[in-house]
Amino acid sequence: MLDQFLSGAIVMGFAVAALLFLSYWRRTGQSLFLTFSASFFLLAVNYTWLALTNIPVEERSPLFLIRLLAFSLIIVAIVQSNTKRGR
């Protein structure tokens, strides 16, 4: 029961971060914030999926792929943001 509660708190944190970055994107129009918002939304979906299902540890490969996609998006957004500033 405690695991599900903590997973819900983690999902809520990711969802709030996604909404905050979405509001920053609306204010500034920078694609960095939109990408961060999408990444945190993917992480929220990932942890929601993990909390609602009892997938054994050995079969969690799709969950790791979602996390990989989210973190890859963050890295690409940061690199693109830094290369745009240099020009």
Side-chain angles (χ1 to χ4, degrees):
M1 189 74 169
L2 182 63
D3 289 341
Q4 288 181 342
F5 175 77
L6 292 175
S7 293
I10 290 169
V11 169
M12 182 199 62
F14 283 134
V16 167
L19 291 174
L20 282 173
F21 281 118
L22 191 62
S23 71
Y24 294 154
W25 171 71
R26 285 186 179 173
R27 276 193 247 157
T28 63
Q30 292 182 0
S31 63
L32 174 75
F33 294 129
L34 184 62
T35 308
F36 269 49
S37 177
S39 297
F40 279 103
F41 177 73
L42 282 173
L43 290 171
V45 168
N46 180 33
Y47 280 96
T48 301
W49 187 5
L50 184 61
L52 294 178
T53 60
N54 290 326
I55 301 173
V57 175
E58 299 85 20
E59 298 175 8
R60 292 185 182 173
S61 296
L63 294 174
F64 290 119
L65 291 175
I66 293 174
R67 288 182 201 169
L68 178 65
L69 176 63
F71 290 120
S72 298
L73 281 174
I74 290 172
I75 291 170
V76 168
I78 291 172
V79 169
Q80 284 180 351
S81 177
N82 287 335
T83 56
K84 285 182 183 177
R85 283 188 186 173
R87 291 182 183 171

